[in-house]
Amino acid sequence: MSLRRITPRFVRGLLLLVGLAAAAAHAQSPAVAPAAPRRGEAVAIPAEALPARADTALEKGLELESRGRWGDAVAHYERAMRQNPEDRRLERRFGIARLHSSLERRYADASYLDTLGQLDTAAALDLHAELLSKIQAHYVVAPPWTKLTRDGAEAMLIAARDPGFLSQHGIRPSAESVGRLRQELIDRLSAAGQVRNAREALRLASDFSRLGEAELGAPASAWTLEFVAAAAGGLDGYSAFLTPGQLRDVYSQIEGNFVGLGVELKADGGALLIVRVIPGSPAEKAGIAPGDRITAVDGQQTATLTTDEAASLLTGDEGSYAYVTVASPVEGDAAAHLTAKPTPQGAILGESRTIRVRREHVEVPSVEDARLTDAAAGVAYMRLPVFQKSTARDVESALWDLRRQGMRTLVIDLRGNPGGLLTAAVELADKFVDQGAIVSTRGRSEGEDFDYRAHRAGTWRVPLVVLIDGDSASASEIFAAAIRDNRRGAIVGDRSFGKGSVQGIFPMTRSGAGVRLTTAKFYSPLGREIDKVGVSPDVLVSAEADVVATGYRGAEPADDAALVRAIQVARQQAKLALQQPAVR
């Protein structure tokens, strides 16, 4: 299975990312926050007189937390924080939900459990020391050592009540022992005061890990790994600890291939919404389509599982089978018919069917649906689902095919494109921009500062329209901003996501794990910041104007307001192109 959120690039031996992982950074934490509610526990909703929209979002998030749906809560809080950026309660709950989700994912990951079994206390501390050293050397701003230490203590208390953690280590601590641990952590954090450097952070993590072993019984190495995960994840919404399996997935995405069903998923009211089906994949061959909802996997109802648990059931070895229960939207459901996006009121679903799907090696195409959409006017179209290693080469091939068919203007659809390889975005922009800046990156270390510029050789002069929306992120924004700032084409659609940072993938020297760290921010050719701002279109077409968006593949123009407008702009460009020599 592919959850195509993030894709990397290599620079100077360092693996860097410019893809969408999460939408916001953690809030600063008190020494140890109140424990989050257990499944089924009642949740008290704060009564602060803040905007009703934020109150409603908080209530919904707490409801997800009370059901133990931590991955869904993370996604919910991400969306809510974009709408309520000043609400610290949402930031705080996002941080708590992310700690829970991280723990849940790791303890459902066989590669992490293998690592856990191989590391003794000294080895776990060495891993933590290496992580802190990388944060010190590469993180985009001065590391918040105090916050990271407090996050680690909070992660310990979350683990002390998590069924997966307790079962894995064979412990059943009493409420009294957890309470003693909590109070001792509070007292020690208060006595420590500000944590000034990585050395002090490591010492406290070591002390607290031994305390966890003494009070509750799980080995100190297990508690230390909670500090490892919390330190990486507590920096911002994009940095994270990577288990060996997750690190392998990242490397697979570099090449644009993996083993799975070939679908992209989102949580949707207890089901898994099919956002995209990769062309030629096992899922497509089985008749699964964007907009379908998976309601059970191998007989287990997704409503009783967390999103991560349900998604993990879809993974497996090449040649194995998954039994997937799928429901499709009823024809004529105007509210959610094939929207391929979660809908607040839910979709009207037809009768469920169970399909046997064989897990296979899936090649992810970097160009989809390249065609001449208006032969008379010479308007060509292509969709780019992600920026990966082969994108520039595949686009070049498609351009020559479209040129032979009579292309005089081109619509490039980046809607829903979460990003990918920074170099792929630069290489693609370089195909259309003949001179000047493409993008610049700036970090705390001078080694992260780069200025990427265009080269005249091989430039295509075909007029451009670039389609974007609120899910176009990172590498998509690099390309769109380069086209906009260099006045190379028209940007049509909705404001983009606003993910303007670069992440580096650092393999760890032991354990087979890795860490993703934010190392720099990137800026448009005119020096405009992208992070939390996005790219504004020249022609605004709100996403709400679209009646249908079947993963942006195969929708007729009449059903897709943004595409209709983009084609109109392209036709205007084509009229001007008729007065020019043949494009190249």
Side-chain angles (χ1 to χ4, degrees), residues 421-508:
L421 297 171
L422 185 148
T423 48
V426 170
E427 289 168 1
L428 187 63
D430 198 9
K431 288 189 177 299
F432 300 103
V433 178
D434 62 0
Q435 61 181 341
I438 291 177
V439 67
S440 60
T441 63
R442 295 292 182 268
R444 183 163 60 101
S445 166
E446 290 184 1
E448 307 298 339
D449 296 349
F450 292 90
D451 294 296
Y452 297 89
R453 302 186 66 81
H455 306 86
R456 188 176 300 275
T459 301
W460 286 78
R461 298 194 302 273
V462 60
L464 281 182
V465 177
V466 179
L467 265 172
I468 60 172
D469 67 2
D471 291 325
S472 303
S474 209
S476 293
E477 294 172 296
I478 288 175
F479 180 78
I483 298 303
R484 180 197 62 188
D485 284 7
N486 284 288
R487 297 182 176 274
R488 182 56 187 80
I491 311 299
V492 175
D494 214 344
R495 183 170 68 89
S496 65
F497 183 86
K499 193 272 183 182
S501 59
V502 179
Q503 282 69 46
I505 289 291
F506 300 85
M508 309 301 281

Side-chain angles (χ1 to χ4, degrees), residues 33-58:
R38 301 184 194 183
R39 294 180 190 229
E41 284 186 355
V43 178
I45 301 173
E48 290 92 331
L50 289 176
R53 184 173 63 179
D55 288 342
T56 300
L58 182 63

Side-chain angles (χ1 to χ4, degrees), residues 1 26 53 64 67 85 88 92 134 150 152 161-162 180 225 241 283 285 303 307 331 356 361 368 438 441 506 519 536:
M1 182 190 61
H26 288 190
R53 184 173 63 179
L64 290 169
R67 293 161 54 200
R88 294 295 174 260
R92 175 66 183 141
K134 292 183 186 302
R150 293 175 177 177
R161 302 181 66 185
D162 181 81
R180 287 195 302 272
L225 288 181
F241 172 76
K285 295 173 185 175
T307 302
E331 292 293 333
R356 189 176 83 150
H361 185 83
E368 294 182 3
I438 291 177
T441 63
F506 300 85
T519 58
S536 297

Side-chain angles (χ1 to χ4, degrees), residues 35-36 95-97 99-100 103 153-163 165:
I96 295 294
L99 286 172
H100 276 276
L103 178 69
E154 183 136 51
M156 287 184 65
L157 292 177
I158 288 172
R161 302 181 66 185
D162 181 81
F165 182 93

